[in-house]
Amino acid sequence: MSIESRLSPLDEANMAPEQRRVLDAILSGPRGNLDGPFLAWIHSPALADHAQRLGAFCRYDTRLELRLTELAILFTAAWWQSQAEWQIHAPIAREAGVSEAVIEALREGREPVFERDDEALVVRLGESLYTTRRVDEGLYAEAVAAFGEPAVVELVGVFGYYALVAMTLNVFEVRRGSTPLPFPEPPQAGPVA
């Protein structure tokens, strides 16, 4: 699969030792590839090092079922209209048990019809967090009752981490070349006067 971006290409022969160390850590970890935001972050080895460890936790080690983590990631990708984030995570979400109807509704910007209350709750939390930048007392209490306080803390971490991922992918225009874009590309802005 070809990966495209506006970043200068990495030449492994000319990598700094810190870049090489972080690249080796990423390649030997659960991801096994330099994909998505890591194409950008490897240009800043310290950021890449911290981000890849946080990302591994958010993706693989939270108390939430993978289905719910991937739903939070897809909600974030749709919110930010992050092409590569969606391209990477839609198949994973599908495999983890998120229904095709929910996936398509998120991609199209429609309110999904949920068969599972926990999925509806994850999306309501994401909507509240991204729209109002807060979660009211009632929704917070509902989330804690459903998932437990530590899992709610981790879910907020998933939303925050994947917002960083989405911003990175959008700014550096990371694309998976052989996969159709899930969202229309916005028009390019002109120069600011």
Side-chain angles (χ1 to χ4, degrees):
M1 170 168 301
S2 68
I3 305 285
E4 303 167 4
S5 80
R6 64 176 15 168
L7 292 155
S8 56
L10 285 176
D11 179 2
E12 290 192 42
N14 295 326
M15 279 186 168
E18 274 302 291
Q19 285 178 304
R20 169 55 57 200
R21 183 188 62 72
V22 172
L23 177 62
D24 290 345
I26 292 168
L27 296 179
S28 66
R31 288 178 194 87
N33 62 51
L34 187 69
D35 195 0
F38 300 100
L39 292 168
W41 293 341
I42 196 72
H43 291 269
S44 171
L47 175 61
D49 193 29
H50 294 293
Q52 74 94 10
R53 286 184 285 148
L54 177 59
F57 173 80
C58 287
R59 186 163 172 194
Y60 303 108
D61 294 328
T62 71
R63 290 168 175 82
L64 298 164
E65 287 179 46
L66 179 62
R67 170 179 57 87
L68 297 177
T69 302
E70 288 298 325
L71 178 60
I73 295 168
L74 280 191
F75 180 83
T76 301
W79 182 268
W80 286 93
Q81 295 201 334
S82 179
Q83 309 287 12
E85 189 168 53
W86 187 274
Q87 291 168 325
I88 292 166
H89 286 278
I92 299 168
R94 198 172 287 115
E95 189 175 306
V98 179
S99 75
E100 192 61 38
V102 168
I103 292 171
E104 268 308 291
L106 289 173
R107 188 186 67 75
E108 293 173 357
R110 293 183 289 110
E111 185 69 32
V113 176
F114 294 100
E115 294 178 11
R116 298 175 172 191
D117 291 341
D118 58 356
E119 291 182 1
L121 185 53
V122 166
V123 168
R124 285 176 42 225
L125 276 166
E127 286 173 342
S128 180
L129 190 57
Y130 287 147
T131 303
T132 70
R133 293 173 290 284
R134 302 287 187 278
V135 171
D136 70 36
E137 197 59 45
L139 182 55
Y140 177 78
E142 188 180 347
V144 169
F147 303 129
E149 192 173 58
V152 173
V153 170
E154 293 169 358
L155 178 56
V156 171
V158 170
F159 282 123
Y161 174 77
Y162 281 94
L164 170 63
V165 169
M167 288 187 281
T168 300
L169 295 170
N170 286 354
V171 168
F172 299 106
E173 297 178 356
V174 176
R175 305 283 185 271
R176 298 181 124 207
S178 64
T179 306
L181 295 179
F183 307 109
E185 281 290 283
Q188 293 295 320
V192 178

